[in-house]
Amino acid sequence: MASQPPSAPALMRRPPACGDLLPIHGPPSSNGRRSNLFYRPSPQLAVRPLLRDDDGWENWHEVAIKLRGLQPNITTLELWRTFSKEGEVNRIEIFEGRSGRRDGAARIWFRPPPVKPFWQAGVYWIRFSEYEDAIKLDINLEENRKQTWVTSPVNATIRYPQKMALHAESLDFGCWYNQTSMIAMQTTHATSVTPLSFQLDLQRKRIEIDFVFDLAYAHAHNKNILPGTDQYSQGYKSINEMSRTERYRFHVPLDQLQEIRIADCDGDKRSFVVSLGSPPNFYRKAVGQQLESSHTDGNYWNDWDTWFRQTDIVYDPRELRTAPIGLRKRNPLVDIGEWTTYRFVLPSCEHNSERYLKICNALKDHYIKVEGMSLLEMLPRRDPAIWDWIDKSDRSLPLADDLLTDLEGDFVPGLTFPVQYQLEVCISQGYLNVHNLSRKFIERLVAMGEQSALDALLFVAQEQTRIFDPMNLYKKRIAKGSMSRIKIPHYCVHVKKATVTPSTIYFSTPAIETSNRVIRNYMEHSDRFLRVQFTDEKFQGGIYSTDKNINDEVFTRISRALTNGITIGDRHFEFLAFGNSQFREHGAYFFAPTKHLTVEDIRCWMGDFTAIRVPALYAARIGQCFSTTRAINGTRVHIVEIQDVIKRVKAKDGKSVKTNVFNFTDGVGKISEALAKLIAGELKLRFVPSAFQFRLGGCKGILVVSPDAHMWQVHIRKSQYKFPAVHNGLEIIRWSLHTAASLNRQIVMVLTALGVKSHVFVDKLKSMLFDMHQAMWNESKALYLLQRHIDPNQATITVAGMILDGFMKTQDPFVISLLRLWRSWSIKYLKEKARIIIDQGTFLLGCTDETQTLKGQFMKLKPCKTLKEEVDALPEIFVQVPNPEDPEKYMVIEGICILARNPSLHPGDIRVVRAVDNPRLYHLRDVVVLPQTGDRDIASMCSGGDLDGDDFLVIWDKDLIPTKWDEPAMDYSAPPSLKLDRDITNHDLTSFFVNYIKNDRLPRIAHAHLAFADLREGGVRDETCLRLAALHSKAVDYVKTGEPAVLPRDARPRSWPHFMEKEHSPKYISDKVLGQLYDQVERVDFVPCYEAVFDERILRAFDLEEGTLTTAREIKGQYDADMHRIMAQHQIGTEFEVWSTFVLHHAKSSKDYKFHEEMGQISMALKERYRRACISAAGGKEHDAIGPFAAAMYAVTQQEMAAAVAETKEKKLVAGKEVPKRKLNAKSMPLMSFPWCLSDVLGKIANGKPAGMNEGLLLERLANHRVVEETPFAENTNVEADVIETEEGLTHRGEVLELFHHSMPGPSTAPSEAPSSGDSSRPPTREHNVFCSGDFGVKLQHTLALGEDPAILANDAAHYGTLQHTTRKGKESPRAQMNGHLPVLSSLRISDKPQGTSILAPNGICLPPKSTYDGLAGDAEVDLMSFSDSDEDVPMVQSRDKPGIMQHTHSAREKVEQENIDEESFPEEGSDNGTAETAFDALQKMCAWKP
């Protein structure tokens, strides 16, 4: 050593100079203690360049040595402790043989290479505390792996080293003040601990910056304590408790870097200035115990495990424990989230080097602008004053002192919360910087008034560009914003959203979203709700789990947000709860309480959850209230409690026998057709769905249209009732729809294992690609595909309607752009997900067979000998979907099918079933009906599904039917949950939320399963894949059980197939089916069609007035602003993606399938909102009003686009070069989707049809559904609105709805043979033809053949009204005549009441007996289901023989004996008070009525 090192205080007084020697703690010795201090020279004197052409090991990027002779129980920690004294250990790997046992060998990597060649002797002695003698190891240097070179993306003849580094003297953190000035908020200097390095990694496409930070020095500097003063010495002593020097690193992805500016500094120095739009990832190097904890008992260790993610760089981390999350941070040493401009000062020896030129050229070749600056002014640190002017969050409530302070101080009063929120939106998104905001700007904003101030700030958010001088904003002409001026749909609400990342928080302009139960109930406080989502930094997607603790600070920040809340202006938002879908996407709702409404008040209103002691289940039940729903107002619902159909089956589990419980009706109830029509009308559907996913109080699941439910009845099963909750009306989430069937990677792998050949998938993929390309020019092919490849949002149906209207033939730019986008979107998922569309298949909502006539899955007692026996043994399903040849008609699928759910990982997840024709199920469309019979329900065999809203894939394509049909299904029983012995607290909820994010390994398990299924010969049958399938099931249940799934090390792939596109991970080229499919597809970039000519049929249709054009132009400006906000919030590139929901790229905060669903709601709300606004501006829906206005919307869009296209052909000078005045891309061109909010009107105008909107929709011929008939009950004044009727009485809106709190009979069991119809809560009954004769001539017949809809007949008969009809002969009733048709009644019940025999007609209406039929003659046909003379239902007599007179019970018994039906179902003969006898007597009396 040349000299003694300076003292520690001296080191803090100045930055280190060249040649200074600084203390470094040595690595721990073998006994775990740190060695004495040793010294290294500073970078400029002793640091070797990382890249030279020499072949000596000293110049290698890294050095690897191999050891032999290790003990079997050696650990990576022991090796690290031993070899760290030789240099910086980067990785350690202990080898195992094929048997899985260690073979005594290991490899250790050093990066950079060590100082001494300690391996040259070939022997190395080590001593561990547990061994008395030293151990001799064989050691040798492995040959250098050649430097990895990266080819230039612009010139294939140029190659760059994989990594190139520069060493800087100092690093400034700050932000741009203007285009030429940077505020340096913090500075750190190079030390000898490690160089302050700027390294370009071309393999990982990022820049890596390493630096060391003296926190005590920075803390003193922030407090303006100058070095060398007594105050500094005293201050240093006072802060010495937390004094430390930390090593940090951050990464800058090249795709987030647009330019690097170069400026000269004092002397011969030069600086790199890097400015980012979002914060990079910061890491801190672990030391001491934290470092040693990174070593586990495994065979592999990486230095990367010692770098811990950072959310804040502060002097005292304890100050963060109680701090809320917000834009304003208290006392940061480095504000990672805000100070995103960095200046690297390079000494002359660096910027004059060859490496410097290589780095600059490589950056340019990767499309990063590297430009010099003539002037760079560095401004000193100054804290922004704006928070002192507008932030009232720290003020106490005694207002007298505050008012006095406001008058005397700098506080600017009058900034309302909506304005302050939008201001923080602009600040958080980087459009305004706090250092540029002056007091004058705030005062001017206040003086404008709330609405004008909002318009100005909305304009800033819409422009999405940094404004350096905010005062210039007041000079611009700002259009009126649309957020408050255009009425939103009644089912929507403006929702504020915050995105919390590890380093900052982003606020979004309030977006229009479909509301939920909670917000609807507290609508007057809707602006106090805040949707919060926790993600990684911008453009990086969600936060993922890790087995290491390197992300602990990220999870701590999430916990702080949930515990301490979020501050916006003067409002403090507290954690409220999270919806089930939100939870999986790491989101939650917060609420800013008032004096009279707290988060606890809201939770109490949601329901009574005190009986739930499992935090995960508690959270799931609360989440029901936050489901996005459409409220059906003005309904009176009569709830009938019915039981589930449950089967208990004993099965061997090893040596023991366990009882499996299978619920065949889990989550499915019934709804009357009348109520279904009412819902369809409220939702403005063109058809009556067969099933609805719903919420009703504490009930959830689906409701299926059933003849068993009458009038306003809803039948609820116990599996659907989750908790007592305040009744807030019937709520609909979604409804049954037919969508295109598609495969995915998991299903392809399972089908391959079940015998489907690889060429089948390849052929179908090639056919799909050919058809997609043909559809771009062939109109017939485009229509064919669009009508069959129906997406969940049914956007393809809309596009098909546009083609039918001739817009593809005229090459309208918007329609052609949509077609191109649809192709790019389809091909993207074809390559990335193997999403092959199957024409002979569909995705449907699952429901149950209430008639119990479908055959279920039975255990085979003996193997089948013939194919017919195999087919007959298959379980049955019923599927009725639109006929592709005639979309207005439906077809029943028959034959062998496969049934599956997503995801399918286990070979038994895909079931082979038989679709059958069943007339008793004809009323069910666009659903797959599963049997209630068998030994196990089919739904649970399909990936552990149920019937509370699960979608099922049904495919009847013969090419995809497996050769193996009887694959055993996996046991999907959820693991037991850990129950608490106390009530659930808010802390339990927040802890579960954080632990779920930290331990949610579902994506990792799914990826590991896919990789092993491709790698192993057994595919999905491989033992590892079967283990991963079970782990996947456990991970799915984690959300309700709270038990996480742990991914073992031996189930983690070491390499990945190339089709999984795992960057920076070892990969191999897969030659199996998924690799073949991946290689067949080339992505197609989406290029909008801006230069095409607009349709002259619309432009020439009307003589448009200037006033109409002006109004249309104003509304278009508001529409464009809303569209831009949606695009910015979700990071979507074009308006076409939002409008059609064919999104190619988004923020990745939600999974693709979930985001597609969310975008459907957002897009629908946007179009509905402006559709209504345009109708209002036009003056109505009639042709003379809406026609010219729609044409004006189209015309103003054409004018804007024509002007913009013209500018793309003009030139302007920029830096002496001619460039286009406007670029022909989505960022520069105006929007054109606005007029297509009225796509149906434009189609009528183009085809010369009246443009009125009261004639039915153009797309009815493509909708594949029946048109909704107007329900006669919709305007029934006798119906009390929003009332639920139960056996206990009426429950009004706002009252707690409790069900199943009384004792009920035991659950029904699924019979082994075809059972009876009706509710499962009734004794089994069968319906057959029964004919009775009498003077009146009443005939009871099973089949409905004549007459009107029973609901129409019952209209005037509600609540004991009078039935009105005529006879078949046409004789008019005294009451009314219904078109001369014979009335037909459904579900007739006959009972013997004290007042006389009465009839319970359709939908629960009671009709008086004889007086109803006065004046009638002739026959009447009715449908008899069951009858009784008491409160209990009894079975109906069954007979299939010839018609006969039914006069007494003896005749009934004779018929029973003829059918060999179990006699125990009927009363004993001769019983004095037999139920069946008195009922038959009543029926006989009715048959004897005469006019």
Side-chain angles (χ1 to χ4, degrees), residues 154 359-371:
V154 298
I359 288 176
C360 290
N361 291 332
L363 289 171
K364 292 177 182 178
D365 287 357
H366 284 79
Y367 311 103
I368 296 171
K369 190 184 299 182
V370 181
E371 291 186 337

Side-chain angles (χ1 to χ4, degrees), residues 798-964:
T798 304
V799 178
M802 295 174 173
I803 294 176
L804 280 177
D805 288 327
F807 291 112
M808 183 177 178
K809 187 175 296 182
T810 61
Q811 293 288 291
D812 177 89
F814 183 74
V815 175
I816 298 303
S817 296
L818 288 183
L819 274 174
R820 291 180 180 179
L821 173 62
W822 169 64
R823 176 181 64 170
S824 297
W825 179 74
S826 299
I827 291 177
K828 167 186 167 68
Y829 287 103
L830 195 59
K831 186 173 185 68
E832 296 176 3
K833 307 292 185 184
R835 187 176 178 270
I836 303 173
I837 304 296
I838 305 299
D839 289 340
Q840 293 178 283
T842 180
F843 267 117
L844 298 173
L845 203 62
C847 67
T848 188
D849 169 29
E850 300 289 3
T851 69
Q852 296 186 341
T853 54
L854 295 177
K855 182 173 64 179
Q857 178 79 41
F858 292 93
M859 297 293 293
K860 294 182 179 179
L861 300 179
K862 57 182 179 178
C864 299
K865 297 181 179 180
T866 65
L867 177 61
K868 184 179 184 304
E869 289 181 355
E870 289 279 0
V871 173
D872 291 341
L874 292 175
E876 297 175 346
I877 63 171
F878 177 80
V879 175
Q880 188 176 196
V881 291
N883 189 334
E885 305 302 326
D886 186 359
E888 292 185 358
K889 297 181 179 179
Y890 273 73
M891 64 179 185
V892 175
I893 304 302
E894 294 185 80
I896 300 174
C897 306
I898 60 173
L899 182 73
R901 282 181 64 251
N902 287 325
S904 294
L905 279 67
H906 189 272
D909 285 344
I910 296 181
R911 311 307 304 171
V912 179
V913 297
R914 183 162 63 103
V916 298
D917 186 1
N918 189 329
R920 301 182 65 180
L921 300 174
Y922 279 175
H923 62 287
L924 297 178
R925 298 177 173 182
D926 298 328
V927 293
V928 53
V929 187
L930 306 183
Q932 279 191 16
T933 64
D935 297 321
R936 179 174 177 180
D937 62 300
I938 304 297
S940 69
M941 302 174 77
C942 297
S943 306
D946 53 32
L947 300 177
D948 69 349
D950 288 1
D951 288 309
F952 290 83
L953 172 67
V954 184
I955 293 178
W956 52 92
D957 189 326
K958 295 181 179 179
D959 295 336
L960 296 174
I961 302 301
T963 57
K964 185 174 177 57

Side-chain angles (χ1 to χ4, degrees), residues 1231-1242:
L1231 305 185
M1232 68 166 81
S1233 60
F1234 168 61
W1236 296 96
C1237 293
L1238 300 176
S1239 59
D1240 54 332
V1241 178
L1242 294 180

Side-chain angles (χ1 to χ4, degrees), residues 171-207:
L171 168 61
D172 295 311
F173 303 85
C175 54
W176 286 113
Y177 183 72
N178 55 41
Q179 289 88 339
T180 60
S181 302
M182 173 184 170
I183 301 177
M185 300 295 293
Q186 190 60 264
T187 302
T188 184
H189 299 271
T191 73
S192 297
V193 176
T194 184
L196 200 166
S197 63
F198 177 102
Q199 180 169 264
L200 175 62
D201 186 340
L202 292 178
Q203 183 183 26
R204 295 183 178 271
K205 299 291 187 295
R206 69 188 185 191
I207 296 172

Side-chain angles (χ1 to χ4, degrees), residues 633-884:
N633 298 314
T635 57
R636 175 182 181 133
V637 177
H638 178 200
I639 291 182
V640 177
E641 300 174 6
I642 60 177
Q643 290 182 285
D644 286 289
V645 177
I646 296 175
K647 185 81 177 273
R648 291 176 171 83
V649 179
K650 292 184 178 180
K652 289 186 177 180
D653 185 12
K655 296 182 179 180
S656 61
V657 176
K658 70 173 184 178
T659 300
N660 295 318
V661 180
F662 301 115
N663 191 337
F664 288 71
T665 56
D666 190 4
V668 59
K670 307 176 189 178
I671 189 172
S672 69
E673 184 176 7
L675 194 51
K677 288 182 177 181
L678 181 70
I679 295 172
E682 175 73 17
L683 300 178
K684 293 183 171 56
L685 303 179
R686 299 188 298 269
F687 61 98
V688 180
S690 293
F692 302 89
Q693 191 175 9
F694 81 108
R695 298 287 187 267
L696 180 63
C699 303
K700 66 185 289 280
I702 67 169
L703 297 173
V704 181
V705 175
S706 172
D708 299 341
H710 315 305
M711 193 62 176
W712 306 110
Q713 280 186 357
V714 168
H715 293 192
I716 300 293
R717 285 189 163 93
K718 196 169 185 178
S719 61
Q720 298 180 281
Y721 178 68
K722 305 302 180 181
F723 59 91
V726 171
H727 161 51
N728 208 41
L730 181 62
E731 302 165 316
I732 302 300
I733 298 176
R734 63 189 182 112
W735 46 91
S736 54
L737 287 172
H738 155 69
T739 57
S742 62
L743 305 178
N744 57 38
R745 288 175 172 174
Q746 287 86 0
I747 289 179
V748 168
M749 293 300 291
V750 175
L751 286 176
T752 303
L754 296 180
V756 180
K757 301 298 182 183
S758 298
H759 71 84
V760 173
F761 304 105
V762 176
D763 292 344
K764 291 188 178 297
L765 179 139
K766 289 181 177 179
S767 175
M768 181 178 170
L769 285 174
F770 179 77
D771 288 346
M772 293 293 299
H773 291 301
Q774 266 201 325
M776 294 301 100
W777 57 269
N778 187 318
E779 186 174 313
S780 298
K781 179 63 71 174
L783 278 172
Y784 176 87
L785 294 180
L786 288 167
Q787 293 181 65
R788 282 161 176 77
H789 300 183
I790 303 174
D791 66 296
N793 293 323
Q794 299 209 324
T796 57
I797 293 292
T798 304
V799 178
M802 295 174 173
I803 294 176
L804 280 177
D805 288 327
F807 291 112
M808 183 177 178
K809 187 175 296 182
T810 61
Q811 293 288 291
D812 177 89
F814 183 74
V815 175
I816 298 303
S817 296
L818 288 183
L819 274 174
R820 291 180 180 179
L821 173 62
W822 169 64
R823 176 181 64 170
S824 297
W825 179 74
S826 299
I827 291 177
K828 167 186 167 68
Y829 287 103
L830 195 59
K831 186 173 185 68
E832 296 176 3
K833 307 292 185 184
R835 187 176 178 270
I836 303 173
I837 304 296
I838 305 299
D839 289 340
Q840 293 178 283
T842 180
F843 267 117
L844 298 173
L845 203 62
C847 67
T848 188
D849 169 29
E850 300 289 3
T851 69
Q852 296 186 341
T853 54
L854 295 177
K855 182 173 64 179
Q857 178 79 41
F858 292 93
M859 297 293 293
K860 294 182 179 179
L861 300 179
K862 57 182 179 178
C864 299
K865 297 181 179 180
T866 65
L867 177 61
K868 184 179 184 304
E869 289 181 355
E870 289 279 0
V871 173
D872 291 341
L874 292 175
E876 297 175 346
I877 63 171
F878 177 80
V879 175
Q880 188 176 196
V881 291
N883 189 334

Side-chain angles (χ1 to χ4, degrees), residues 30 65 208 338 517 689 820 941 1005 1013 1093 1097 1107 1308 1365:
S30 60
I65 63 168
E208 301 174 353
E338 184 181 352
R517 176 189 305 179
R820 291 180 180 179
M941 302 174 77
I1005 294 172
V1093 178
R1097 297 178 298 169
S1308 305
H1365 59 84

Side-chain angles (χ1 to χ4, degrees), residues 146 229 237 345 472 584 634 765 872 913 917 1138 1252 1283 1286 1466:
K146 294 297 182 181
T229 63
K237 292 178 181 178
V345 178
N472 289 335
R584 295 185 184 275
L765 179 139
D872 291 341
V913 297
D917 186 1
V1138 175
V1283 174
T1286 66
F1466 302 95

Side-chain angles (χ1 to χ4, degrees), residues 442-627:
I442 300 299
E443 291 174 343
R444 183 77 176 269
L445 203 63
V446 172
M448 293 175 69
E450 180 177 299
Q451 194 57 59
S452 297
L454 281 175
D455 289 341
L457 295 173
L458 287 169
F459 173 80
V460 174
Q462 177 185 338
E463 292 295 301
Q464 299 181 40
T465 56
R466 170 74 185 275
I467 297 179
F468 289 102
D469 185 0
M471 294 305 295
N472 289 335
L473 186 63
Y474 300 117
K475 302 176 183 178
K476 298 179 180 291
R477 181 180 178 184
I478 300 173
K480 294 180 179 180
S482 62
M483 191 167 65
S484 302
R485 290 176 168 81
I486 294 183
K487 186 177 180 181
I488 64 175
H490 69 277
Y491 55 85
C492 293
V493 66
H494 280 112
V495 177
K496 298 176 176 64
K497 182 179 179 182
T499 302
V500 179
T501 70
S503 65
T504 188
I505 183 170
Y506 298 97
F507 300 111
S508 300
T509 299
I512 302 172
E513 296 182 3
T514 305
S515 60
N516 58 55
R517 176 189 305 179
V518 179
I519 294 181
R520 281 195 296 269
N521 188 71
Y522 296 101
M523 188 60 72
E524 67 275 17
H525 299 294
S526 61
D527 66 329
R528 289 184 168 270
F529 288 91
L530 180 71
R531 271 191 66 179
V532 180
Q533 188 168 22
F534 298 93
T535 70
D536 211 324
E537 301 296 356
K538 192 180 287 188
F539 309 114
Q540 296 185 36
I543 298 173
Y544 299 105
S545 67
T546 175
D547 296 323
K548 305 290 185 179
N549 54 356
I550 57 176
N551 282 340
D552 278 1
E553 283 205 22
V554 176
F555 300 125
T556 300
R557 177 173 167 85
I558 297 173
S559 180
R560 280 175 41 216
L562 297 171
T563 304
N564 303 336
I566 295 174
T567 298
I568 308 175
D570 60 345
R571 291 188 183 180
H572 182 73
F573 291 81
E574 300 176 5
F575 167 71
L576 175 60
F578 37 80
N580 294 326
S581 297
Q582 269 189 308
F583 181 58
R584 295 185 184 275
E585 304 298 337
H586 305 163
Y589 272 100
F590 282 54
F591 181 76
T594 68
K595 293 181 178 180
H596 306 292
L597 183 63
T598 66
V599 292
E600 285 300 326
D601 296 334
I602 298 176
R603 289 197 197 110
C604 290
W605 172 86
M606 290 183 204
D608 182 5
F609 309 101
T610 55
I612 304 174
R613 296 300 177 90
V614 179
L617 188 59
Y618 188 99
R621 295 298 172 246
I622 286 184
Q624 286 182 214
C625 302
F626 288 93
S627 298

